[in-house]
Amino acid sequence: MSSLSPKSPDQSEKSKKYDRQLRLWGDHGQAALEYAHVCLINATGLGSEILKSLVLAGVGAFTIVDGEKISDEDVGVNFFLDPDSIGQPRGEITTQLLLELNPDVRGDAIDESLDKLLTNNPDFFNNFSVIVATRLSEKEIITLSKKLWEADIPLIVCQSIGFIGSGRLQVQEHTVVESHPENQNPDLRLDCPFPSLKEYFDQIDLEAMEFKDHAHTPFVVILYKYLEKWKKLHNSSKGPSNFKEKASLRELIKSGIHRDEQGNPLAEENFEEAIRAVNYAISTSEIPQSIKDILNDGSCINLTGKSKPFWIIAKAIKDFVENEGNGYLPLRGTLPDMTADTAKYVAIQQLYRDQAAKDAEIVFRRVQQLLRQLNQPDDTITENEVRQFCKHASSISVIRGSSIADEYTFRNISQKIVTDLESPHNLMVYYVMLRGLDRFYSEYNTYPGVYNDQVEPDIVKMKGELLAMK
C-alpha cells in the first residue's frame, strides 16, 4: 500500500489551477469532486487513463485495487509504465506515478485481487463515492454489481477493445440540484409579483418621465406596466398566451417609445429589450411537471430516518409551495442584464434577492423541523445548501437506474435491445458483441483471435452464442 498526504493550496491558487473546470461545473461541482474518494479496480491502460483525468481535475482521493504484476502487455498499453517496472505490483506503481500529477490528491493501492478482497473484507467498498471497474470477468461483474447495488454505491464498468469502448453506469438513484438547463427563462414573476416588487412597480410613472429616465428604465418595469395595460384593454386577468396576443403586447410596448418632433421613434434600447423579452419573460409562473413529479414522489412524501438531504429539502419545498409560497416555488432571485441606470437596476435586483432570501429562510426553518422529526443532526443540511436548492428548484432532477446483474441474465434483456438490433446501423450491435466477448473470456480464459486446434472450435461456439443473444 502506498499513500501521499494532500497539500492545501490557498483559494486563489486553487482558482487559477482549476479555472477552466470551475467555469464548467462551478464551486459546488469542484467541491463535490474534492470530497470524492474513487476506487479503481484494475490499473489497466483504460483504468489508468480514467484516473489520470480525475487526478488532474483534483479528485479528493483514489484507491486502486489490483493484484496483478506488470507484464509486457501492460507496458504496451499503459503510458505510465515502462519495461523497468515489469514484475512489480501494477496498482502500486500506477498509484505512485499518478500522485506525481497533482499534489492536492491522496492515493493508495491494495495489492489484492477483487475476489480475495470481497471474501476477506466484504465491506471494503462501502465508504467509496464511486467504483470504476475495468477488465473484469462476467462473473466478477455480476458479483460486484449485486454487492454495490445493495450498498447503494455507484458502479461504472468500462472496457475498451481497439477503437470500440463501452461504459455502463449502475446507480439506484442520482439526484441533481444544479442541472444547468439550456435556455432557462428568467424567474421574473411579472404575472404574480411579490408584494415589495409590485409596490416598487406601481410607484413608477413611465408617462411622466423625461426622455433620459424613460430610456434608462429597466425592461422588467416596462414589461410589467404594459402587461397591466394589456390586461385592462383585453379585460383579462391573465397575460397573453399565444402568438397573436403577444404580438399585440409588443405593439403596445412599441407605442410607448418617445418620438421626436417629426413623430419618428427615438432610440430607446430598453424598450427594444422589452419587446424582445415578451416571448420568454411574459409567461404564466407555474411549477414544471417534472418538478411536480419530484415533489409528489414517494421518497419526498414519505421521509424516514434514512432519507437523503435532497429529499428532505424537497419535502420542505413542497410544504413551502402549499403554504407560504401560495402555489409557487421559492424565487430564484437572479436578474438578467439589461439597459438601465445603475441605481434602478440595483434597486430591482435587491428586491429579487431579498425575496429569494426570505423564501429560502422559510424553507431552511422547515428543513430544521424535519431533521428534528427524523432524528437527524441539525447540521446534516446547511443553510447554504438550502439556498442553492431553492435557487435551482425549477430545474432539479432525479435519475434512477437499474442493476447490471439483472441485465446480465438473458431473460432480462429488454425488448429495446432486440428492436435496436434489427437496424444495421444501430450501435447496440457493439453492446452485444462486447457481451459475447465477456462470455467467451469467462468460459475459456482467453480472448478470441488465436487460431489453433484448441481455440478455433471455441470461436465457432462464441459465434453461435452471439446469434443466440440476438
Side-chain angles (χ1 to χ4, degrees), residues 62-122:
F62 69 86
T63 295
I64 296 178
V65 174
D66 193 333
E68 297 293 326
K69 306 298 181 185
I70 298 172
S71 65
D72 291 336
E73 179 186 356
D74 292 320
V75 173
V77 298
N78 192 331
F79 58 84
F80 281 107
L81 308 178
D82 57 47
D84 293 337
S85 60
I86 292 176
Q88 299 184 57
R90 187 168 64 181
E92 291 191 7
I93 298 301
T94 303
T95 296
Q96 293 170 10
L97 296 170
L98 281 169
L99 288 173
E100 294 179 6
L101 300 177
N102 193 340
D104 300 338
V105 178
R106 294 174 291 117
D108 65 328
I110 307 296
D111 187 14
E112 195 169 352
S113 70
L114 175 63
D115 287 340
K116 289 183 179 179
L117 191 60
L118 287 173
T119 301
N120 299 330
N121 188 3

Side-chain angles (χ1 to χ4, degrees), residues 128-132 148 152-156 169-172:
F128 289 104
S129 306
V130 61
I131 313 297
V132 179
L148 297 180
D152 194 17
I153 298 173
L155 166 65
I156 304 175
L169 169 63
Q170 171 183 288
V171 61
Q172 284 194 28

Side-chain angles (χ1 to χ4, degrees), residues 79-362:
F79 58 84
F80 281 107
L81 308 178
D82 57 47
D84 293 337
S85 60
I86 292 176
Q88 299 184 57
R90 187 168 64 181
E92 291 191 7
I93 298 301
T94 303
T95 296
Q96 293 170 10
L97 296 170
L98 281 169
L99 288 173
E100 294 179 6
L101 300 177
N102 193 340
D104 300 338
V105 178
R106 294 174 291 117
D108 65 328
I110 307 296
D111 187 14
E112 195 169 352
S113 70
L114 175 63
D115 287 340
K116 289 183 179 179
L117 191 60
L118 287 173
T119 301
N120 299 330
N121 188 3
D123 297 328
F124 173 80
F125 295 105
N126 288 2
N127 295 319
F128 289 104
S129 306
V130 61
I131 313 297
V132 179
T134 66
R135 190 68 69 83
L136 291 185
S137 68
E138 186 175 286
K139 180 182 177 182
E140 289 174 320
I141 291 173
I142 293 173
T143 301
L144 187 64
S145 167
K146 291 179 178 178
K147 169 68 180 174
L148 297 180
W149 184 261
E150 292 175 359
D152 194 17
I153 298 173
L155 166 65
I156 304 175
V157 176
C158 305
Q159 62 176 319
S160 174
I161 307 295
F163 290 108
I164 299 174
S166 70
R168 167 65 159 89
L169 169 63
Q170 171 183 288
V171 61
Q172 284 194 28
E173 179 183 271
H174 180 60
T175 54
V176 183
V177 175
E178 296 178 81
S179 60
H180 302 287
E182 295 183 6
N183 303 319
Q184 186 178 49
N185 291 332
D187 184 15
L188 300 177
R189 306 286 175 96
L190 296 179
D191 61 325
C192 55
F194 46 93
S196 58
L197 185 65
K198 187 177 188 307
E199 181 181 353
Y200 179 87
F201 285 158
D202 288 343
Q203 68 184 3
I204 295 175
D205 187 353
L206 284 174
E207 296 178 359
M209 285 183 179
E210 296 293 333
F211 174 73
K212 182 179 179 181
D213 289 334
H214 195 260
H216 290 85
T217 298
F219 79 73
V220 288
V221 177
I222 298 169
L223 282 177
Y224 173 78
K225 289 292 187 179
Y226 283 93
L227 177 60
E228 293 301 303
K229 283 186 177 183
W230 188 93
K231 289 179 181 178
K232 290 180 180 179
L233 286 173
H234 292 78
N235 194 27
S236 173
S237 60
K238 297 181 179 179
S241 59
N242 56 46
F243 177 81
K244 183 178 179 180
E245 291 177 344
K246 289 189 175 183
S248 66
L249 175 59
R250 283 193 286 269
E251 289 299 319
L252 188 61
I253 296 172
K254 190 180 296 185
S255 70
I257 298 176
H258 278 194
R259 298 177 180 272
D260 61 19
E261 295 177 354
Q262 286 74 39
N264 299 314
L266 298 174
E268 293 194 280
E269 189 175 347
N270 56 337
F271 271 75
E272 296 297 333
E273 286 179 343
I275 291 170
R276 291 194 299 268
V278 167
N279 276 339
Y280 66 83
I282 300 298
S283 59
T284 302
S285 298
E286 58 184 4
I287 302 176
Q289 185 58 49
S290 60
I291 307 304
K292 290 180 181 179
D293 293 341
I294 292 175
L295 299 183
N296 292 321
D297 191 282
S299 297
C300 179
I301 297 174
N302 304 311
L303 297 180
T304 69
K306 295 182 179 180
S307 291
K308 296 178 181 179
F310 177 93
W311 291 113
I312 296 173
I313 302 176
K315 179 61 168 67
I317 294 280
K318 179 179 176 64
D319 292 344
F320 172 86
V321 170
E322 295 174 350
N323 295 282
E324 297 90 348
N326 297 313
Y328 301 111
L329 292 170
L331 188 69
R332 195 178 305 156
T334 56
L335 199 63
D337 290 334
M338 57 190 72
T339 300
D341 66 67
T342 302
K344 290 177 182 176
Y345 180 82
V346 170
I348 297 176
Q349 184 182 57
Q350 194 61 49
L351 290 173
Y352 277 94
R353 287 179 176 175
D354 289 346
Q355 186 60 44
K358 291 177 182 177
D359 290 352
E361 184 180 357
I362 294 170

